[in-house]
Structure formats: structure tokens, C-alpha cells
Amino acid sequence: MSGARGAVRGPGAGGGPEGGSQAPGGAQGAAPAPDALPARVHRALRAADATLAVAESLTGGLLAATLVDVPGASTTFRGSVTAYATELKASVLGVDEGLLAVHGPVHPVVARQMAEGVRRLLGATYGLATTGVAGPDPQDGRPVGTVYLAFASPAGSLVSSPRLSGERATIRRKAVTAALELLLERLPAGPRPGRDPRPD
């Protein structure tokens, strides 16, 4: 998670998925179908008259790129912070430095503070964050596939910890899908499946 620079992006920012990965919901460079997950997220946000900001580490901007693939994304998507370097999680997003020093960047509370921080920083209704280990090697004693996703709202925040498998690019794509599903589950217009991410 270290050695890369952070970036703050808005809906008009250029760039796409790292390494030419195909974004969930459609072929790279093409808008997702109306029933695809990213489009459903934007519809639910519009229905709730809400906005979203995202903070990314594990996904490295792929989540934001997936969201802005949807035409009209600027009505609901405020922007993103790609805080790939550990120190940027503290200096930009407000994650506790002591927490990072003790536990490293892959931790449920780090994810929660990232989501809360980007929501506050970018003035959004909701914040969504990703952190984890995509591989190819373990990090800080945590195995490849360890992922923490966080959702922050005016009412509070929660963390989901799916265990994902596959190669690096696959884990990153799966993390994007899981993050969008988490958000959709928590939105007022979203579905309410039986499972509920554990609160942190």
C-alpha cells in the first residue's frame, strides 16, 4: 500500500481502471447497461436526493472509474480520494496515525475512518471506502484476499469484510462490486437482503 501517490478526483477526471481492467457493469470505455450495478446505485442515490464520495486504497481508483462510467454521474457522485500511500490516509482522510502505526492500513477501523473522512472532506451524503490486500503477497501478516469495505452516512458507519479470492486484478474488481452492493443495500431505495454487514 506504500510508495504510490494519492489523488483527489471528481467526476470530470480522466483515467480508467489500472492495467486496462474491465469495470463491473460493462466493457471498458462503454457506459454500463441501465440494469447494471453502477447504474442502479446512481438511480438509488437520485431517488434519495443523496450524493456519494469514495476513498480508495486497495482498488486504486477503480471504484471511482466504475461510478463515472455511468452517464450523468455528476448529479450524485461528488468525487474520490485515492490514498494509496499509508501516510495519506492520515494526512488527507484523517485516519488516526496511531491506529495506522499499530495495525497498518488493512484494518476495519481504518476503512471506517476513511469512509467517514472522505464523506466529510468532499461534502457528500454518503462515504464509501476500500482497503485490503490484493496480492500477490500478504501484507502486515494479512493474507491475500483480506478486504475491508466501509460505508458512512449521517446516521453512522459500518464495515463489511468479504474474503475474496483470485488474482490481483480479480480481487480488485470483486472489491468494487462488493462495495457497490454494500452501498446499494444501505440506501433507502436499495434492497434489503437477509445478511447485514457487521457494524464496527
Side-chain angles (χ1 to χ4, degrees), residues 34-91:
D35 59 345
L37 183 58
R40 288 164 52 207
V41 164
H42 284 292
R43 282 201 302 272
L45 286 166
R46 286 195 298 271
D49 194 24
T51 56
L52 173 68
V54 301
E56 302 185 63
S57 182
L58 163 77
T59 47
L62 183 57
L63 177 57
T66 300
L67 286 162
V68 300
D69 274 345
V70 179
S74 61
T75 61
T76 53
F77 184 57
R78 291 282 295 169
S80 69
V81 174
T82 301
Y84 210 61
T86 298
E87 65 269 20
L88 293 178
K89 293 174 177 63
S91 62

Side-chain angles (χ1 to χ4, degrees), residues 63-147:
L63 177 57
T66 300
L67 286 162
V68 300
D69 274 345
V70 179
S74 61
T75 61
T76 53
F77 184 57
R78 291 282 295 169
S80 69
V81 174
T82 301
Y84 210 61
T86 298
E87 65 269 20
L88 293 178
K89 293 174 177 63
S91 62
V92 177
L93 294 172
V95 176
D96 182 78
E97 291 183 352
L99 174 68
L100 291 167
V102 172
H103 296 289
V106 183
H107 190 271
V109 181
V110 171
R112 176 171 58 79
Q113 292 186 2
M114 287 173 64
E116 293 170 345
V118 79
R119 175 181 174 267
R120 181 173 57 248
L121 179 67
L122 299 186
T125 312
Y126 301 113
L128 195 61
T130 68
T131 187
V133 184
D137 301 312
Q139 180 180 340
D140 297 329
R142 292 175 175 83
V144 173
T146 302
V147 171

Side-chain angles (χ1 to χ4, degrees), residues 149-171:
L149 310 171
F151 167 83
S153 75
S157 57
L158 56 84
V159 178
S160 174
S161 54
R163 277 304 305 272
L164 305 180
S165 61
E167 297 181 352
R168 178 178 174 83
T170 301
I171 288 173

